[in-house]
Amino acid sequence: MAIVFRKNNQNAEILNESKFAQEDSMQEYLISNPEIVPIYEIEEDARLLVAAREFSTASGPIDALGFDEHGNIYVIETKLFKNPDKRTVLAQVMDYGAALWKHHADSSGFFDRLDEYSYKYFDQDFKEKFCSFFGIEDAVEAFDNIKSNLEDGSIKFVVLMDKLDARLKDLISYINQNSKFDIYAVELDFYKHNEFEVVIPKLYGAEVRKEVSSRTAYVQKRGKWDDQSFREQVGELPVDQQRAILAIYDWAVNKSDKIIFGTGATRATVNPRFFGFNKNSFFTLYSDGQMSINFGYIDTVDKRVELMQFLNKEFGFMKFNYKAEELISQYPVIDRGKVFANYQKIIDTLDKFTAKFKEKEEL
């Protein structure tokens, strides 16, 4: 397709379509111009941060790994129409997603690697880049959602091509309509004229996804949890597990300065804030009993080290062995089994730790 343009109602010119010569060129263009993936057509005003290129997994490198402000994860695969393996691109991109989910159940390692890529491309850590890109001061809720999405395998897949054939479009529509997966395709029309470039992205799959979301119960919408819904979800577990989770939860409600509920699609999360120690939550409790220690949310190195040393001394059932400079990107998980077996020790330790800062506030 050609574009005809003119200036001052005269001298009309024809702008003929150009092509990306290599998939590397398309990847580079995506890194510099993430707007060519129009996720704002999926969710109004959404923007995409492409945080890494060639992000390695056990199934091979992901061409581009992206995030939006809400903590949704995007696995993006670029393909030229002339590439003979374009027929398997959906299987390929989902294989990458499966590898990402399977090998990063502990989100701490995932954030470590994001920091590495972020320093490589942006000369700052991932949290700094995320906040500056989206113009926010606090990424706690978004990072909680990233952790939840990673652990739940809730990943959005995007195929970026210079040309899509009808069969691929039909396959994407079929998968979106008959599964829980979110798969989108973007076809790029690319034009060049002197020093100017024009890219027209066309998104496929979003309308089907919206129709499915509005009429089916099993597609989870991200929403705010609260005390009632948290307790209801915990109530689905065996009684002994409920007892452990609610004991920690009730302690947090009674002792914290503020309770923040997460917005995960499948699991409720609670993030208690103790302002005497830190403005953000230093631990997260999940409705299935999992916990995480959020060293990365703590605002100074000294306080991160202080917390780690205190937990190592008091917990007894697990140790955190990080260097001081590593703690900025660490969110280690306490698995459900350890929480259920040691919930009273966890409460006693948290109570002892937070009491120190309550005393300082009173003084």
Side-chain angles (χ1 to χ4, degrees):
M1 181 180 73
I3 295 177
V4 178
F5 70 98
R6 63 181 182 174
K7 184 177 181 180
N8 298 328
N9 295 322
Q10 58 185 351
N11 299 326
E13 294 187 45
I14 296 177
L15 190 61
N16 290 309
E17 189 172 359
S18 299
K19 295 290 183 183
F20 289 98
Q22 303 290 335
E23 287 173 9
D24 280 353
S25 302
M26 192 182 295
Q27 291 176 26
E28 290 171 2
Y29 199 90
L30 170 62
I31 290 287
S32 302
N33 305 279
E35 298 83 5
I36 65 172
V37 179
I39 64 170
Y40 44 82
E41 294 184 23
I42 303 171
E43 183 173 347
E44 188 175 0
D45 297 328
R47 297 172 61 213
L48 179 70
L49 167 62
V50 179
R53 178 184 172 193
E54 299 290 339
F55 187 93
S56 61
T57 73
S59 297
I62 298 171
D63 285 349
L65 185 63
F67 303 87
D68 64 25
E69 185 176 352
H70 305 292
N72 290 309
I73 304 170
Y74 295 80
V75 169
I76 305 168
E77 180 69 12
T78 59
K79 276 283 183 284
L80 295 179
F81 185 77
K82 66 182 181 181
N83 192 320
D85 71 354
K86 64 180 180 292
R87 298 179 188 277
T88 62
V89 65
L90 293 188
Q92 185 178 2
V93 73
M94 293 178 72
D95 188 28
Y96 292 153
L100 196 66
W101 165 71
K102 182 176 181 180
H103 296 285
H104 289 92
D106 181 349
S107 57
S108 295
F110 182 61
F111 282 105
D112 280 345
R113 297 190 59 213
L114 287 174
D115 281 342
E116 293 174 10
Y117 283 92
S118 189
Y119 276 117
K120 177 180 178 181
Y121 291 110
F122 310 115
D123 198 29
Q124 56 186 161
D125 67 31
F126 177 63
K127 185 190 295 185
E128 292 171 331
K129 178 61 182 178
F130 191 95
C131 290
S132 64
F133 183 85
F134 291 114
I136 58 176
E137 294 183 0
D138 187 348
V140 171
E141 187 170 310
F143 275 38
D144 282 342
N145 290 337
I146 291 174
K147 290 192 290 182
S148 296
N149 286 329
L150 187 66
E151 291 161 5
D152 296 339
S154 180
I155 297 170
K156 299 181 185 295
F157 302 98
V158 179
V159 177
L160 189 66
M161 296 184 67
D162 57 339
K163 182 180 178 182
L164 294 171
D165 61 25
R167 286 181 296 178
L168 185 58
K169 297 175 188 176
D170 290 343
L171 182 56
I172 288 170
S173 296
Y174 176 80
I175 293 174
N176 280 348
Q177 188 163 326
N178 294 283
S179 76
K180 296 183 181 182
F181 293 111
D182 289 307
I183 302 179
Y184 307 100
V186 178
E187 182 178 66
L188 298 179
D189 291 340
F190 182 55
Y191 301 86
K192 295 186 72 173
H193 178 72
N194 297 330
E195 73 274 21
F196 296 103
E197 295 176 341
V198 177
V199 177
I200 303 174
K202 301 173 186 175
L203 181 72
Y204 297 89
E207 292 306 314
V208 173
R209 185 78 260 150
K210 289 174 184 175
E211 290 170 7
V212 172
S213 297
S214 65
R215 73 169 187 269
T216 61
Y218 64 78
V219 176
Q220 296 287 338
K221 289 187 176 181
R222 187 167 298 283
K224 200 76 171 176
W225 298 89
D226 57 18
D227 178 84
Q228 180 179 344
S229 57
F230 182 87
R231 291 181 183 277
E232 287 174 353
Q233 195 167 52
V234 173
E236 298 173 4
L237 299 172
V239 174
D240 58 333
Q241 296 181 10
Q242 293 182 40
R243 184 184 305 113
I245 298 168
L246 292 178
I248 299 172
Y249 174 69
D250 289 336
W251 173 86
V253 169
N254 291 327
K255 293 299 183 75
S256 67
D257 297 300
K258 187 175 184 180
I259 289 287
I260 303 294
F261 291 93
T263 58
T266 59
R267 290 189 299 176
T269 57
V270 175
N271 299 283
R273 298 189 177 184
F274 300 84
F275 297 136
F277 174 61
N278 192 67
K279 66 177 182 178
N280 295 324
S281 307
F282 70 86
F283 74 89
T284 299
L285 174 66
Y286 293 77
S287 57
D288 63 359
Q290 181 178 298
M291 292 183 68
S292 65
I293 305 299
N294 305 321
F295 292 114
Y297 292 165
I298 300 172
D299 52 21
T300 70
V301 175
D302 289 344
K303 288 197 291 186
R304 294 176 207 130
V305 171
E306 180 181 9
L307 175 62
M308 181 177 68
Q309 292 176 342
F310 189 90
L311 296 180
N312 284 342
K313 177 183 176 183
E314 299 291 334
F315 265 177
F317 60 88
M318 68 183 299
K319 294 284 187 181
F320 305 102
N321 298 308
Y322 303 112
K323 296 178 181 177
E325 62 270 19
E326 295 174 340
L327 286 169
I328 183 64
S329 59
Q330 299 300 324
Y331 304 83
V333 168
I334 307 175
D335 66 53
R336 301 170 68 235
K338 285 189 173 69
V339 172
F340 299 148
N342 300 280
Y343 73 92
Q344 191 57 55
K345 183 64 175 177
I346 291 171
I347 293 172
D348 292 344
T349 299
L350 295 175
D351 194 61
K352 186 174 180 181
F353 182 74
T354 55
K356 297 193 309 176
F357 300 96
K358 285 287 186 183
E359 291 170 3
K360 289 181 182 179
E361 283 185 307
E362 292 168 0
L363 291 174

